Amino acid sequence: MDNERSVAPVDVPAGAAVGPATAAEASGAEREHHPGKLVSAGFQASLFLAFLGVWTALLPATSITLALRVNQIDPDGKAAGLSLVLGVGAFVALVGQNLFGALSDRTTSRFGMRKPWIASGMVTGAASLLLLASADSIPLLVLAWALTQLTFNALIAGLNPVIPDQVPKRQLGRVSGLMGITQVLAGVGGAFLAQLFLPNLTAAMLIPGLFMLVFVTVFLRILKDRRAKREDLPPFSLLTLLKAFWTSPREAPDFALAWISRLMVMFGNMTLANYQLFFLLDRFGYTEDNVGPAVLLLTVINAVTAIPTSIVFGRISDRLGRRKIFVLVSAVVLSVAHIVAGFAPNFATFVASSVIAGFAMGAYLSVDQALVAEVLPSRTDVAKDMAVLHLANVLPQTLVPVTAPLFLMIGGGSSNYPALFLGGAVIAIVGAVANQFIRSVR
């Protein structure tokens, strides 16, 4: 597959009148931007490992090690402390992803458009993990996690556009399914590594970063990146950076609906993902010393159930040419899992909810990612639009910590987990319904 071709972006607004020459140029540009050849198994494997490395370094922190570090530093205010750390980090990720995405679309390096951001994010991300591992106060932990989010989002801003850059439409479901399960596998691998090295939190935070360095380096050697010519790019200005945070719903209504849907479904999912550890500590009598194996068990169960549905439903959606029905059903089932978890009378029932959630998230992640790749509004600004979509993943990381205490305080006290999980379930269902109004995708 010749992926090192030069790219001459031509952005023609929808509905705009163009003359014969402009139309021909636009058509040619679109042919350049829409991959036609199937990507090889080797390319898929290397991209898979790169994503796996990134999530292996990040996910244990969001679900295990950060919570344990906060509990060590401030056990009485652990919920508020974790909310502060996660909330600030999510805000930094929100800003960084979009800025780096817009800059990636306008990178004219001889190495390509994405490689410089992948490489620099990999190196600075590893350095940020060192600071994170040494943090011994809540302010320092906030700073360290913010830097980790900033640097890793430079890396992600380079990786995310690779699928629409390189993968043809008839492989989108399959490849998106493979990339979707990287988060699930990383959750298992990261939880295993954390459990292996706990109570040594420093090792539990740093060892996953080594996997990231190795896997991303392998992908950088294999990737034949898109290249852009400076003279073919629009002038760069402050307005370009401001537009990095916005894709007009008027010009791209289907993309806007996909964005809203993703935001709401991910919000619902994170109500459980972010507060699962505290739920186990407060509801079932676990302690910091023995909660690790319980979290590892839940993560393994989630992976075992999510992986097959992600692969199977990604391929089925490719074959049928349908995306929306799979998004709707999987989000509804995910919401059911959250309700079961919130009212679980014992750990066994909570495990059952994880089984349900795993099946649902596997299908959702693969098919929704393929749907998004089909409704991207511009092939000129792929990284920027993918970063705008990424806001739908990041904003819940800010919104959930802010709103969770309100749910948890319903009825008095600070541990009304059924209210938190039920609220997340309702929001996820509304998001799934919004997805059904997309017109350009079946």
Side-chain angles (χ1 to χ4, degrees):
M1 178 176 179
D2 183 10
N3 291 323
E4 293 193 281
R5 55 185 179 274
S6 295
V7 177
V10 178
D11 190 4
V12 182
V18 294
T22 304
E25 292 168 3
S27 176
E30 285 302 300
R31 283 195 298 270
E32 287 289 325
H33 286 158
H34 286 282
K37 296 181 181 179
L38 300 181
V39 292
S40 67
F43 176 86
Q44 294 179 53
S46 63
L47 180 60
F48 176 88
L49 289 174
F51 273 109
L52 182 65
V54 171
W55 299 129
T56 298
L58 279 180
L59 292 184
T62 59
S63 61
I64 302 174
T65 53
L66 271 181
L68 291 176
R69 180 69 85 195
V70 169
N71 193 54
Q72 287 181 347
I73 297 171
D74 185 13
D76 294 332
K78 60 181 183 294
L82 181 63
S83 293
L84 177 63
V85 173
L86 292 177
V88 172
F91 176 77
V92 171
L94 180 154
V95 175
Q97 174 78 188
N98 290 69
L99 291 179
F100 295 136
L103 293 172
S104 176
D105 283 330
R106 285 158 178 78
T107 297
T108 56
S109 163
R110 65 188 181 89
F111 300 105
M113 301 172 69
R114 316 304 181 195
K115 278 186 175 181
W117 299 99
I118 296 173
S120 60
M122 174 187 69
V123 174
T124 56
S128 297
L129 288 176
L130 290 172
L131 178 61
L132 187 69
S134 64
D136 57 2
S137 68
I138 294 297
L140 186 55
L141 199 62
V142 169
L143 174 62
W145 183 239
L147 289 174
T148 301
Q149 286 281 31
L150 182 67
T151 53
F152 270 79
N153 272 277
L155 168 55
I156 295 170
L159 281 177
N160 273 339
V162 169
I163 292 179
D165 276 354
Q166 311 276 354
V167 181
K169 181 177 178 179
R170 59 186 180 275
Q171 279 186 307
L172 279 176
R174 176 180 302 184
V175 176
S176 296
L178 287 173
M179 299 313 118
I181 65 175
T182 58
Q183 294 189 43
V184 179
L185 287 174
V188 175
F192 174 77
L193 289 174
Q195 171 62 24
L196 184 65
F197 292 102
L198 287 176
N200 187 342
L201 276 176
T202 298
M205 290 179 174
L206 293 181
I207 298 301
L210 295 179
F211 287 87
M212 180 271 294
L213 286 171
V214 172
F215 292 158
V216 174
T217 298
V218 170
F219 178 67
L220 283 171
R221 294 184 62 85
I222 291 178
L223 175 63
K224 296 179 179 179
D225 202 1
R226 276 180 63 184
R227 292 180 181 175
K229 296 179 180 178
R230 189 179 302 275
E231 61 270 20
D232 292 326
L233 296 174
F236 185 82
S237 65
L238 178 60
L239 183 60
T240 302
L241 294 181
L242 295 177
K243 287 182 177 180
F245 297 89
W246 177 254
T247 298
S248 172
R250 192 176 197 178
E251 297 177 4
D254 283 352
F255 181 78
L257 285 170
W259 190 93
I260 292 171
S261 175
R262 175 74 68 88
L263 174 76
M264 301 183 80
V265 173
M266 294 308 294
F267 181 100
N269 182 58
M270 286 181 184
T271 56
L272 179 58
N274 283 359
Y275 288 86
Q276 172 180 267
L277 188 144
F278 290 160
F279 181 83
L280 296 177
L281 293 174
D282 294 343
R283 184 59 57 87
F284 299 135
Y286 283 95
T287 67
E288 183 177 325
D289 293 332
N290 63 14
V291 74
V295 173
L296 177 59
L297 173 63
L298 293 170
T299 307
V300 170
I301 289 172
N302 185 264
V304 169
T305 51
I307 290 173
T309 55
S310 181
I311 295 173
V312 170
F313 283 100
R315 294 188 177 190
I316 291 175
S317 71
D318 277 346
R319 183 171 299 178
L320 298 180
R322 300 180 68 91
R323 314 288 191 196
K324 295 189 295 185
I325 185 61
F326 295 106
V327 170
L328 176 63
V329 173
S330 59
V332 170
V333 174
L334 178 66
S335 298
V336 171
H338 281 61
I339 296 172
V340 173
F343 292 94
N346 49 53
F347 183 67
T349 305
F350 194 81
V351 169
S353 73
S354 293
V355 173
I356 299 171
F359 282 124
M361 278 306 291
Y364 175 80
L365 289 173
S366 63
V367 179
D368 189 64
Q369 188 66 22
L371 182 150
V372 166
E374 291 193 47
V375 299
L376 288 176
S378 170
R379 289 292 163 183
T380 302
D381 296 316
V382 172
K384 188 271 287 185
D385 291 329
M386 290 295 289
V388 170
L389 175 74
H390 187 66
L391 291 177
N393 296 328
V394 174
L395 279 173
Q397 297 178 35
T398 301
L399 296 174
V400 169
V402 170
T403 57
L406 302 178
F407 285 101
L408 292 170
M409 289 188 296
I410 292 176
S414 60
S415 59
N416 192 342
Y417 292 101
L420 175 62
F421 299 156
L422 179 60
V426 172
I427 292 172
I429 291 175
V430 173
V433 172
N435 184 279
Q436 304 308 295
F437 291 92
I438 293 174
R439 294 183 177 181
S440 62
V441 178
R442 295 176 61 198

